[in-house]
Amino acid sequence: MATLHRRFALTALTGALLSLSMTTAFASSHREAPSITKSPKVDATDFYMFRSYEANRAGFVTLIANYLPLQDAYGGPNYFSLDPNALYEIHIDNTGDAVEDLTFQFRFKNNLADLQVPVNGVNVSVPLINIGQISAANNSALNVRESYSLDVVKGTRRGGVRMAVTGSNGQTSFTKPVDNIGNKSIPNYASYANNFIHTINIPNCATQGKVFVGQRKDPFAVNLGETFDLVNIKAPATAFDPNAEDKGLDTLKDKNVTTLALELPISCLTAANEPVIGAWTTASLRQARLLNPAPKSGHNNASKEGGAWTQVSRLGMPLVNEVVIGLKDKDKFNASKPKDDAQFATYVTNPTLPALLEILFGSAGVKAPTKFPRQDLVTAFLTGVEGLNKPKTVTPSEMLRLNTTIAPAAKDQQKRLAVLAGDNAGFPNGRRPGDDVVDIALRVVMGRLCLLNVGCTAADAPSAAIDFTDGALQSPSQFDDSFPYLKPALAGSPNVASSK
């Protein structure tokens, strides 16, 4: 290759994918499969798992599962409550067999207060979510109040023993902050939301943890809109461009997301002498749904759900269902379990993404890796890396894997390229909010691990040293250094609170 510093744009790649009818968004999991576009409330967007880097919390693992993508902050009057008819889950495999050993389950309730105001001597129900200012101490002006329960299942998700997680006062119901309506309704949203970080007691665990559920700024950085307009953008594809990785192309900079965050003691997640844990998220709906042709007054009466839980969303490693799984199998992947991932192995061992990159940039000398099956990608996506995050025994399967013996790096010491930059506390050893997984994944799929003799050699990957990038910078500096780490939600109304 002519240089180790040439950068090619993911945006151009996405345009080519569009021309090949792969019409899903290149984001960690924003509308990534045909069926899930119909049910945004159960669409998992991103999953993070890392040793907590907040001061004095290194003995904990933080798990962050985001749902309901592309939230416009001004999306009233209903905003973005989660689905009370859904089951949201975070699964932990601590034995390496691709089957969950612990599952944390979230169930939601939306309670209608039916606030009314007098109009000509008659009390009339209001059409809005609030009729006055809201605080953590006083939510009397809030018309819809959202709460949730949290359970832990030991064993398989449906056949194991389910136990309630309780709060510091023994409560089994936890409150969720309302979305960031605006600065007049909630003058200091960051302070308001912090009141909903709850201390929790986990059954059979001697140390307390934390939970937070609520709206946050979408942490993922990627360009979407202009890409889908036939790549209507000046792509950072110039050789020797020192600013290629930071073109300010984050389409999600004005979007929110709903976060389910847990901070749990390491000792309560690991098993026996195995320090590596694997994890993934799912969401499930009931098999049957009847639409009510004549809903009664009240809340959540438009349909009736019943039957067994049916998994409709799955997310572990980022970008898998977007640019690895073929379009025909995306819904199938969302309904699948890690133990059955052999059915998708060809997408990893014979990936299409490098071939498309070669088609796009072949004239510039880009070549896809040549050694098949791609054992380097099997290592990165399905087993973990030997000496980093591979369990002692492992069933190949797609999930995030974290070695809990590797010390966390403080925020100012983290490197956005994580393991590729010598920072072993980040992706693919788990995933932190500041890990630039798009740039990392692009370089890995083009053979960067071959330079380390992981399943291949440098001769097998002629373009392994190219610094592929999407031009949307992901950096640890964009996030907080304490739980729940993600920035507070953007305000629907950014104006300063007034009495007008």
Side-chain angles (χ1 to χ4, degrees):
M1 292 306 302
T3 176
L4 297 183
H5 302 289
R6 181 178 293 141
R7 293 165 167 90
F8 294 97
L10 174 62
T11 47
L13 165 66
T14 309
L17 293 179
L18 287 172
S19 70
L20 292 171
S21 299
M22 294 178 64
T23 56
T24 56
F26 196 103
S28 195
S29 183
H30 296 66
R31 294 170 54 84
E32 87 290 349
S35 182
I36 202 65
T37 62
K38 305 173 186 177
S39 304
K41 287 179 180 287
V42 288
D43 186 358
T45 67
D46 287 279
F47 179 49
Y48 304 88
M49 177 172 63
F50 53 94
R51 277 188 63 175
S52 299
Y53 52 87
E54 179 180 350
N56 302 315
R57 302 293 288 184
F60 293 79
V61 167
T62 294
L63 302 145
I64 299 174
N66 288 340
Y67 288 87
L68 217 172
L70 304 175
Q71 296 179 17
D72 291 316
Y74 49 81
N78 293 300
Y79 297 95
F80 302 97
S81 63
L82 291 179
D83 190 346
N85 296 309
L87 179 63
Y88 300 83
E89 296 175 295
I90 300 175
H91 309 281
I92 306 292
D93 169 20
N94 57 26
T95 57
D97 63 355
V99 177
E100 65 272 10
D101 299 290
L102 295 170
T103 295
F104 292 88
Q105 299 179 333
F106 294 80
R107 292 172 171 84
F108 290 86
K109 289 184 178 180
N110 301 329
N111 301 301
L112 177 66
D114 190 23
L115 299 180
Q116 301 175 348
V117 295
V119 179
N120 192 32
V122 179
N123 289 333
V124 181
S125 298
V126 301
L128 305 177
I129 199 171
N130 69 306
I131 59 172
Q133 197 170 96
I134 300 163
S135 69
N138 184 0
N139 67 356
S140 59
L142 184 60
N143 205 11
V144 179
R145 302 160 191 178
E146 197 170 4
S147 62
Y148 61 95
S149 64
L150 175 59
D151 298 311
V152 59
V153 180
K154 187 174 183 180
T156 59
R157 66 185 81 174
R158 303 293 176 260
V161 178
R162 190 175 73 167
M163 298 166 283
V165 173
T166 60
S168 55
N169 296 321
Q171 74 271 26
T172 57
S173 179
F174 302 90
T175 51
K176 172 182 175 292
V178 69
D179 294 344
N180 195 353
I181 300 166
N183 293 324
K184 187 174 182 180
S185 293
I186 310 171
N188 186 337
Y189 190 82
S191 176
Y192 162 77
N194 282 342
N195 287 280
F196 297 86
I197 299 175
H198 302 284
T199 299
I200 54 175
N201 303 297
I202 305 104
N204 302 319
C205 182
T207 305
Q208 292 180 314
K210 294 180 181 179
V211 65
F212 170 83
V213 175
Q215 191 183 49
R216 307 304 277 184
K217 164 71 181 69
D218 194 321
F220 197 65
V222 68
N223 186 356
L224 295 177
E226 290 175 315
T227 298
F228 294 143
D229 184 22
L230 301 177
V231 196
N232 184 20
I233 184 175
K234 290 183 178 180
T238 305
F240 304 105
D241 181 355
N243 301 312
E245 295 166 333
D246 187 11
K247 291 290 186 179
L249 301 178
D250 181 15
T251 303
L252 304 182
K253 63 185 177 183
D254 61 350
K255 302 296 183 183
N256 290 326
V257 74
T258 300
T259 291
L260 282 60
L262 289 166
E263 188 179 53
L264 304 170
I266 292 174
S267 59
C268 299
L269 295 177
T270 55
N273 296 316
E274 178 55 77
V276 175
I277 57 174
W280 66 101
T281 71
T282 63
S284 299
L285 297 172
R286 295 295 187 181
Q287 279 186 337
R289 183 186 189 201
L290 293 175
L291 298 180
N292 189 345
K296 298 179 180 179
S297 296
H299 204 50
N300 298 320
N301 293 318
S303 64
K304 181 69 173 179
E305 282 76 15
W309 290 114
T310 301
Q311 183 180 304
V312 296
S313 179
R314 171 186 169 187
L315 182 62
M317 294 280 283
L319 308 172
V320 169
N321 208 9
E322 289 67 35
V323 295
V324 177
I325 305 298
L327 183 59
K328 71 173 185 177
D329 284 329
K330 289 181 181 293
D331 290 335
K332 184 177 182 179
F333 179 84
N334 267 348
S336 67
K337 297 179 180 179
K339 67 181 182 64
D340 300 319
D341 279 350
Q343 63 186 316
F344 304 115
T346 299
Y347 290 123
V348 177
T349 58
N350 297 271
T352 58
L353 184 56
L356 292 169
L357 278 169
E358 181 174 327
I359 292 171
L360 284 168
F361 302 114
S363 61
V366 172
K367 299 293 183 183
T370 58
K371 185 176 181 180
F372 298 96
R374 288 288 303 276
Q375 189 58 42
D376 57 325
L377 298 187
V378 171
T379 297
F381 287 103
L382 302 182
T383 66
V385 180
E386 189 72 43
L388 179 70
N389 65 337
K390 183 178 181 179
K392 293 181 177 65
T393 60
V394 61
T395 298
S397 51
E398 188 280 307
M399 63 180 72
L400 268 183
R401 291 181 174 87
L402 174 69
N403 186 339
T404 61
T405 65
I406 295 177
K411 189 177 75 168
D412 60 359
Q413 299 297 314
Q414 293 176 19
K415 299 179 180 179
R416 72 176 186 89
L417 296 178
V419 173
L420 292 187
D423 177 5
N424 287 347
F427 185 77
N429 181 34
R431 179 188 177 190
R432 301 167 302 197
D435 293 340
D436 199 335
V437 296
V438 174
D439 284 7
I440 296 169
L442 278 172
R443 297 173 197 189
V444 168
V445 81
M446 289 304 291
R448 185 61 61 92
L449 294 182
C450 296
L451 300 182
L452 304 175
N453 295 314
V454 178
C456 47
T457 67
D460 300 319
S463 299
I466 295 177
D467 290 329
F468 292 90
T469 183
D470 70 336
L473 188 71
Q474 191 93 47
S475 168
S477 64
Q478 299 164 353
F479 303 95
D480 291 336
D481 56 5
S482 60
F483 183 82
Y485 295 98
L486 308 187
K487 292 292 186 181
L490 302 173
S493 167
N495 297 322
V496 175
S498 70
S499 59
K500 295 181 180 180

